[in-house]
Amino acid sequence: MSDMKLVVVGAGGRMGRTLVRIVSETPGVTVHAAIERDGSPVIGEDAGILAGIGEIGVPLTTDVLAAVVGADGILDFTAPAATVEFAELAAQARIAHIIGTTGCSAEDEARIDAAARHATVVKSGNMSVGVNLLAVLVEQAARALGPDFDVEILEMHHRHKVDAPSGTALLLGEAAARGRDIKLDDYAVRSRDGYTGPRPQGAIGFATLRGGSVVGDHTVYFAGAGERLELRHVAEDRAQFAKGAVRAALWARGRKPGRYDMADVLGLKD
Ligand SMILES: NC(=O)C1=CN([C@@H]2O[C@H](COP(=O)(O)OP(=O)(O)OC[C@H]3O[C@@H](n4cnc5c(N)ncnc54)[C@H](OP(=O)(O)O)[C@@H]3O)[C@@H](O)[C@H]2O)C=CC1
Ligand SMILES: O=C(O)C1=N[C@H](C(=O)O)C[C@H](O)C1
């Protein structure tokens, strides 16, 4: 089979540069085009040079319509407003759309669901193998320990991150809620300030730290009376997210349109 041709959108960003590097290093996939937004100072630069791997002959452009011609998939770690537009484009082109973008609203999610009628969409708040396995363990722990153990999720990311709680923290919260057979939205406490009163029974709490260059730290606490379990993941390198995204793209190739996540890709669903 020929190489899978992938369009990297947001190719000048932290994840975009990492994706260009990982796609270039991975057999079976190739960088078909590299897209940045209108007005970006990196337009015209070679995507490989920007990614620190030397020239690959793919200049950054703004022309995403031309980019999807002949492409098999889009790798998208950008921003919600951009992602919903790329989803519609992927649907028109009937190709795979791998979405790592976090911070999407319910309305954005509905537009992505609609696009997934025609595109093969894999979307996850975290594309690493480790976090997706952690989510399985969190679901099991929540089921076994029950509501007597208070669930709190602490995350820390670099100073540039614009959304909170992180997509990963929410993914882990969903896993805990599944384990308890409840809906996260009914129990989530996403921030605390001032005279909050005691902790509501069964709450799933979130706490956010931002600073420096932290790639991504997540700890799920199960705090009981007299004992505490802590499940933790530390991302040391963005390459793990990019490798997960490439794995998702290869998995999505030729698969019927629909909405999938990394647990589907990794075979973690029963
Ligand atoms: N699911 C996962 O495993 C992971 C998800 N993420 C998520 O990925 C997203 C990006 O993170 P990160 O790389 O750190 O952020 P960056 O801000 O470094 O990169 C985003 C890039 O997308 C560009 N962009 C925004 N809008 C458009 C558009 N309409 N067309 C083309 N390019 C556009 C930005 O350009 P400009 O700077 O000009 O706005 C920027 O270059 C975040 O939502 C983050 O949470 C990150 C890591 C892992
Ligand atoms: O913005 C980031 O950097 C990251 N975002 C994702 C998230 O919101 O969880 C994944 C990872 O932790 C890095």
Side-chain angles (χ1 to χ4, degrees):
M1 199 188 281
S2 59
D3 275 6
M4 187 174 188
K5 299 192 197 91
L6 298 172
V7 177
V8 178
V9 291
R14 282 175 288 277
M15 276 305 298
R17 292 176 201 222
T18 312
L19 286 161
V20 167
R21 174 166 66 81
I22 296 301
V23 171
S24 302
E25 289 171 1
T26 306
V29 286
T30 186
V31 180
H32 181 66
I35 300 298
E36 255 302 330
R37 78 154 96 226
D38 217 7
S40 164
V42 294
I43 296 301
E45 285 189 37
D46 185 89
I49 291 181
L50 212 53
I53 55 169
E55 192 166 339
I56 60 169
V58 179
L60 268 83
T61 77
T62 58
D63 194 352
V64 68
L65 278 176
V68 296
V69 175
D72 301 303
I74 299 175
L75 301 181
D76 177 359
F77 289 65
T78 56
T83 290
V84 291
E85 306 225 329
F86 294 135
E88 279 150 27
L89 197 58
Q92 282 162 26
R94 305 250 184 312
I95 58 177
H97 187 193
I98 312 306
I99 305 174
T101 306
T102 56
C104 291
S105 65
E107 193 190 314
D108 298 330
E109 295 292 350
R111 286 178 67 181
I112 294 166
D113 283 341
R117 289 201 290 266
H118 303 295
T120 307
V121 175
V122 181
K123 182 173 187 292
S124 176
N126 196 302
M127 299 273 176
S128 81
V129 175
V131 158
N132 285 280
L133 183 58
L134 174 62
V136 173
L137 300 176
V138 166
E139 182 176 342
Q140 284 176 357
R143 183 168 294 119
L145 297 171
D148 287 345
F149 281 73
D150 300 328
V151 179
E152 291 285 321
I153 302 173
L154 174 66
E155 55 110 336
M156 181 163 188
H157 284 88
H158 53 93
R159 62 168 67 110
H160 305 287
K161 187 161 177 62
V162 291
D163 56 305
S166 69
T168 310
L170 293 170
L171 177 162
L172 295 170
E174 292 285 0
R178 266 197 311 281
R180 283 194 182 164
D181 287 320
I182 57 168
K183 283 171 114 176
L184 180 61
D185 284 350
D186 296 340
Y187 288 87
V189 175
R190 293 172 64 130
S191 63
R192 297 183 178 102
D193 186 27
Y195 192 84
T196 61
R199 189 179 197 282
Q201 169 70 15
I204 296 179
F206 293 87
T208 299
L209 304 178
R210 292 285 177 267
S213 58
V214 176
V215 174
D217 290 1
H218 292 87
T219 307
V220 182
Y221 294 85
F222 291 88
E227 61 175 331
R228 185 170 74 248
L229 176 65
E230 300 178 8
L231 299 178
R232 180 154 199 244
H233 180 269
V234 176
E236 295 175 346
D237 184 339
R238 290 187 174 83
Q240 299 315 313
F241 310 134
K243 286 178 184 170
V246 170
R247 187 165 171 173
L250 287 165
W251 179 89
R253 191 179 197 182
R255 200 166 289 270
K256 74 173 179 351
R259 173 97 182 231
Y260 304 95
D261 60 24
M262 278 308 281
D264 293 306
V265 173
L266 299 171
L268 294 173
K269 290 186 175 167
D270 19 65

